[in-house]
Amino acid sequence: MQTGMHTDTERCVRAVRSKDARFDGWFFTAVLTTRIYCRPSCPVVPPKPENMVFHPSAAACQQAGFRACKRCRPDTSPGSPEWNLRADLTARAMRLIADGVVDREGVPGLAARLGYSTRQVERQLLAELGAGPLALARAQRAQTARLLIETTPLPMADVAFAAGFSSVRTFNDTVREVFALSPSELRTRVPKSRPAPAATPGTLSLRLPFRTPFHPDNLFGHLAATAVPGVEEWLPDSLEGVGGTPISAYRRTLRLPYGHGIVALAPRPDHIACRLTLGDLRDLTVAISRCRRLLDLDADPVAVDDQLRADPLLAPLVDKAPGRRVPRTVDEAEFAVRAVLGQQVSTAAARTHAARLVTAHGDPVDDPEGGLTHLFPSPEALARVDPQTLAMPRTRRTTLTTLVSHLADGSLALGVETDWAETRARLLALPGFGPWTADVIAMRALGDPDAFLPTDLGVRRAAGELGLPSTPAALTARAAAWRPWRAYAVQYLWATDSHPINFLPV
C-alpha cells in the first residue's frame, strides 16, 4: 500500500464494494448525495461510484462538510498504518497530534517539537491530509467526546472539558456538526444492553479496534514476562469478558500529562478490552494513543505478512501465526532505561534491577484492584540518583547515568516526534551503546518498523535453525528483502524459542 491511497479512485471503489475492513483508516468514503462519510467496510449498500469521493482523514471529510455515518462510525476506525511506517514531517506530526500535543501546546508547540515553522507544518498537513493541525485535533476531540458521552455518566460540561474543548458551546456545535446529533441524543442512542459505566470515578471501559489478523501471544507474553514489579503485572480475572466471565489482563501504571493512570488490557477475538482509570479525564486521548502504540494496534498485518511470506524460509512461521505485532512502550524514556538495565543479563535480572529503581525512586500510586505501586521513575528523578548506590557494573552504571542525564536536560529526545535514523545515531554516540541497544530502542520505543537485531542471540539462533544465515553481516544482507518490516521479522524469529515471552500467560 502506498502513500495517498485516497487518490487511487478505482482501488478505493473496489475496497468499498467488497467492504474490505483491511482498508479502514487508510481512507474514508464521502457520499455526495447524503453528505455522510463512511469507512470502507460500512455495511450499507455501496453508493454509485460517481457519488463517491475519497479523503485521507476523518478531519478532511469534516472540513468538506460531511457527517460521520451512524452505522459504521468511521471516526472509530483504527489509525492509518502510514504514521507507523513513516518518519517524515507529516507522520511525526500525526503521531504528536494523536498524543494530544495540539490541545496542550497549540499549533506553535507542535511546530516547535518538529523543528519547523507553523506555516510549514500547516501547509504540509493540508497538502497531504486535506486538513490542518487544528482540524485534525478537532476531529480527535470529537471522537474522545463521543467515547465519554457513550461510556460514562459524566455531565456534558465535564465531557466537554475532558475532551479538550474550550467551551461547552464549542463542544455542542462540534458534536452536532460531526455526528448530526446533539450530545444528549448521542447518549440516548447507547444500546440498553451496553454494560453500565464503571462505578469508580475516572474509570472507563472501552474497546480498542485493530486490523486482522491479530496474534496476541508474543505481544502479551513479552509484556508479562518482562513486567517490572510495581509498575506492571499480569493479573488473573481482572476484566469482565463476554457474559460477565472474568478474563486475565496485562495492567500497568501510566505517567500522563495531567496526572497518572492505570490501564488493564486483554486480547479478545475482534478487539482489545481496555479499562482505564485516570486521575484527570483530560488524559483520556493521550492514554488511548499510548495504549494503541504499546500494542501496535494501527499496524497493517496483511502488508507485513505478505512481504515476509515472500521469503520461503520465513513463510512457514508467518503461516503458523499470522498477524504478530511488535510489543512497544507507553514511555520511550522508560524503555531506554530498561534496555540499558537489560544489557547482557537475563530477563529476571533486568526486572530485579528495574524494580529496585522503581521502589527507591518511582512516584507511589494507589491501586485498590491489584499490586501496582509506582510510576516508573522519570529521567529527572534518575538523574539525581547517587551512581554509587546503583548495584551494577561500573561501565553499565556510566551508560545509565549518561543516558538519564541527557534525557533529563533535553539534549536527547525520545518520543513520537523523533527522527528514527537521527536518534539512533545519537544513541550510538553515548558510552556503552552498541547496535543492539540502539536498535531495540528504535524498534520498541521509537516505533521503527524496520529496526533489526542481527546480533541478537535469539535472532541468530532462530536464523540458524531455519537455514538462514546466522552471522550478523550475512543475515543483514538476507534481511534486505524483508524491508521495511524487519522489526516484525524479529518477532517471528523470536517466536521459534520456548522463552515465556512467546506465550500468552494463563
Side-chain angles (χ1 to χ4, degrees):
M1 296 180 185
Q2 301 297 321
T3 298
M5 180 179 173
H6 69 288
T7 62
D8 189 339
T9 301
E10 185 178 331
R11 193 177 180 197
C12 290
V13 168
R14 286 201 307 269
V16 171
R17 283 178 167 171
S18 62
K19 303 185 188 300
D20 197 331
R22 293 177 301 165
F23 295 98
D24 288 354
W26 275 101
F27 69 90
F28 296 84
T29 306
V31 184
L32 296 173
T33 50
T34 62
R35 305 303 295 175
I36 287 172
Y37 74 95
C38 304
R39 60 171 80 198
S41 65
C42 185
V44 302
V45 177
K48 296 178 181 179
E50 59 266 28
N51 291 329
M52 291 189 273
V53 292
F54 304 102
H55 292 276
S57 65
C61 294
Q62 294 167 21
Q63 282 272 95
F66 294 91
R67 303 185 309 275
C69 174
K70 296 170 186 174
R71 287 284 302 277
C72 70
R73 301 180 57 159
D75 53 303
T76 61
S77 299
S80 172
E82 289 189 51
W83 317 135
N84 287 349
L85 176 61
R86 295 161 47 184
D88 56 18
L89 170 60
T90 300
R92 289 185 288 134
M94 288 300 292
R95 292 197 287 268
L96 281 172
I97 292 169
D99 213 44
V101 166
V102 171
D103 287 339
R104 296 192 303 274
E105 304 173 21
V107 178
L110 173 70
R113 288 198 184 213
L114 293 167
Y116 288 83
S117 70
T118 299
R119 181 180 175 84
Q120 285 174 303
V121 172
E122 289 177 336
R123 185 169 61 234
Q124 184 70 26
L125 291 178
L126 193 60
E128 188 165 347
L129 294 171
L134 287 176
L136 291 161
R138 175 180 178 269
Q140 184 167 273
R141 282 195 297 274
Q143 181 180 339
T144 302
R146 181 176 198 162
L147 183 64
L148 289 168
I149 290 167
E150 294 181 340
T151 62
T152 76
L154 284 175
M156 292 303 176
D158 292 346
V159 169
F161 172 71
F165 287 95
S166 57
S167 69
V168 174
R169 180 176 179 177
T170 303
F171 158 71
N172 287 329
D173 291 346
T174 300
V175 169
R176 284 195 188 93
E177 184 179 334
V178 172
F179 304 115
L181 293 167
S182 70
S184 298
E185 289 169 332
L186 268 181
R187 182 163 279 172
T188 59
R189 286 172 58 90
V190 176
K192 301 302 181 185
S193 59
R194 180 85 51 97
T200 306
T203 296
L204 304 93
S205 294
L206 52 142
R207 297 180 171 200
L208 304 181
F210 52 71
R211 293 176 183 84
T212 57
F214 179 80
H215 188 78
D217 292 24
N218 70 298
L219 184 61
F220 283 88
H222 208 123
L223 295 173
T226 61
V228 175
V231 174
E232 304 167 285
E233 66 179 357
W234 181 264
L235 189 63
D237 302 339
S238 56
L239 281 182
E240 189 174 292
V242 178
T245 305
I247 54 176
S248 302
Y250 165 78
R251 302 176 74 245
R252 71 153 295 148
T253 58
L254 302 170
R255 186 183 297 277
L256 299 165
Y258 295 104
H260 73 268
I262 292 176
V263 65
L265 299 159
R268 310 307 297 149
D270 60 352
H271 67 275
I272 298 295
C274 173
R275 187 176 64 216
L276 277 165
T277 301
L278 302 173
D280 190 318
L281 282 174
R282 288 178 295 174
D283 283 322
L284 176 61
T285 298
V286 64
I288 292 173
S289 172
R290 292 181 185 180
C291 290
R292 295 192 64 80
R293 195 157 68 242
L294 171 71
L295 302 180
D296 196 16
L297 296 184
D298 290 327
D300 181 358
V302 173
V304 172
D305 289 351
D306 283 352
Q307 178 83 5
L308 300 183
R309 198 179 276 116
D311 188 315
L313 296 183
L314 278 186
L317 301 183
V318 177
D319 291 337
K320 180 181 178 182
R324 291 191 185 275
R325 302 303 207 267
V326 178
R328 295 204 166 120
T329 184
V330 295
D331 187 317
E332 296 83 4
E334 173 192 316
F335 184 82
V337 169
R338 292 171 60 172
V340 170
L341 295 176
Q343 288 177 335
Q344 300 177 336
V345 298
S346 66
T347 299
R351 294 177 70 218
T352 299
H353 285 312
R356 288 175 185 154
L357 288 181
V358 166
T359 302
H361 309 288
D363 298 327
V365 299
D366 181 42
D367 175 25
E369 297 182 3
L372 303 180
T373 59
H374 291 81
L375 299 176
F376 195 87
S378 67
E380 292 77 14
L382 292 176
R384 295 191 293 267
V385 175
D386 180 357
Q388 299 306 314
T389 64
L390 300 173
M392 61 184 67
R394 182 176 56 84
T395 53
R396 193 166 308 131
R397 190 188 308 157
T398 300
T399 301
L400 180 63
T401 55
T402 304
L403 170 68
V404 297
S405 67
H406 280 283
L407 290 171
D409 66 18
S411 57
L412 174 67
L414 299 177
V416 294
E417 73 273 24
T418 53
D419 179 272
W420 297 329
E422 178 186 330
T423 303
R424 184 181 182 277
R426 298 190 69 181
L427 288 170
L428 287 171
L430 298 178
F433 271 77
W436 183 91
T437 307
D439 285 326
V440 80
I441 291 172
M443 179 174 71
R444 294 196 54 201
L446 304 183
D448 183 354
D450 200 40
F452 193 48
L453 306 175
T455 63
D456 181 85
L457 182 61
V459 169
R460 294 179 63 188
R461 185 188 298 124
E465 292 174 355
L466 290 172
L468 292 163
S470 57
T471 62
L475 183 58
T476 299
R478 174 62 176 263
W482 306 340
R483 306 190 75 166
W485 310 116
R486 293 183 301 175
Y488 295 86
V490 169
Q491 307 310 310
Y492 282 105
L493 292 171
W494 272 344
T496 61
D497 192 80
S498 58
H499 194 285
I501 65 170
N502 294 313
F503 301 95
L504 190 70
V506 293

